[in-house]
DNA sequence: CTATCTGCAAATAGTTTGCGTACTC
DNA sequence: GAGTACGCAAACTATTTGCAGATAG
């Protein structure tokens, strides 16, 4: 995950190498599920001149190149991560907002059931499933959610 | 699903009854997974003076009252439906954008697996799973997605 | 009659785009 | 040196808010 590594990745995908692109890839490797704003904020110290619109444009370029993907998690807008990461399903906590990842294999049963019922082929890696993380589920002061689980267990 | 029905529902939840609220509830019953804009558009003929901001405010009120819920499906923003509908999991097609519903029971296996691995308690009814509907999955002219399924089957 | 709701218009937040300069190859 | 990317500022879209008149209870 050195700067040189990112140069190779960019070149391999036919992208020009720029300071901004390497910095943004570095941020993606370092942060968990950053929003556009989070990436920009994270790089404020290292690259003070980095413009928010450049972050948007760069993410778009990196995504087109297949280096990066995004998922829609909650109202906070899309979050980005490296395409090379092991594909994972995003669990978004309705209480604290944290995002937990699980291997897409956990969704194998769902995929089979959905395919049988509707012919729909799901892409777990692109998806967000909402719910309550272990801590928030234990917190009875939170609104409705945890008190009335839809599925037993 | 008569107008009178919605009056009762509103009163039962401590809400004032207005033409706009009844109309919006009617639209929610009629449309599948409407966005705010879709509701507004649908009611254009019946309630030409209905303002978009009223739709936003009304949905917020109805949601606070527990009559309506929303789910985040794709980049198109939140979609709304009646809380009384059978809870369902939303499948959002990356190709054509259509939303398919399946019973939350399809996610029982996923819920158990995720709970065991991470303690996370999922809320399938609030969630969106992306993928490709039967038609789009068969369409080889579409980008990346359908050609490379992550999960076999 | 009082409290709340609605329509209108302006404000705000998030994202995209045009343009001239700076940088990569 | 040619073509692309960047920073800046303005445009655009989606959503929220303030206010005065209209409506429900």
């Amino acid at each position: 995950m050195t700067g040189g590594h990112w140069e190779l990745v960019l070149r391999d995908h036919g992208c020009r190498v720029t300071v901004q692109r390497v910095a943004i890839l570095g941020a993606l490797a370092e942060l968990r599920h950053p929003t556009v704003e989070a990436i920009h904020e994270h790089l404020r110290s290292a690259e003070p001149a980095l413009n928010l619109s450049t972050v948007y444009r760069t993410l778009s370029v990196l995504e087109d190149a297949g280096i990066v993907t995004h998922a829609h998690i909650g109202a906070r807008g899309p979050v980005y991560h490296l395409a090379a990461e092991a594909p994972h399903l995003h669990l978004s906590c309705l209480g604290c907002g944290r995002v937990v990842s699980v291997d897409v294999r956990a969704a194998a049963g769902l995929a089979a059931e959905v395919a049988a019922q509707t012919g729909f082929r799901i892409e777990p890696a692109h998806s967000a499933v909402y719910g309550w993380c272990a801590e928030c589920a234990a917190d009875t002061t939170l609104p409705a959610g945890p008190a009335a689980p839809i599925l037993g267990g």
Side-chain angles (χ1 to χ4, degrees), chain A:
Chain A
M1 294 297 176
T2 65
H5 172 71
W6 295 127
E7 286 190 31
L8 287 179
V9 170
L10 285 165
R11 279 189 224 282
D12 274 358
H13 288 80
C15 296
R16 287 197 173 183
V17 177
T18 69
V19 184
Q20 293 87 349
R21 288 175 180 186
V22 171
I24 287 170
L25 284 171
L28 287 169
E30 197 169 337
L31 303 171
R32 291 188 195 190
H33 292 278
T35 59
V36 174
E37 189 59 42
I39 294 167
H40 186 228
E41 185 65 27
H42 179 77
L43 294 173
R44 183 180 295 283
S45 49
E47 293 288 331
L50 178 65
N51 196 272
L52 186 57
S53 66
T54 299
V55 181
Y56 278 103
R57 266 190 289 221
T58 300
L59 287 170
S60 173
V61 167
L62 296 178
E63 190 153 23
D64 286 349
I67 305 174
V68 159
T69 60
H70 76 272
H72 294 281
I73 298 180
R76 271 164 276 247
V79 299
Y80 291 82
H81 56 78
L82 298 168
E85 287 176 20
H88 50 271
L89 176 64
H90 301 97
L91 307 177
S92 180
C93 181
L94 293 163
C96 61
R98 94 181 58 177
V99 177
V100 176
S101 302
V102 293
D103 192 285
V104 292
R105 289 170 182 283
L110 173 63
E113 185 133 3
V114 162
Q117 275 186 38
T118 67
F120 204 99
R121 179 186 295 164
I122 67 174
E123 294 264 0
H126 200 90
S127 303
V129 175
Y130 297 88
W132 305 87
C133 71
E135 288 181 26
C136 289
D139 183 349
T140 53
T141 65
L142 284 167
I150 294 175
L151 295 171

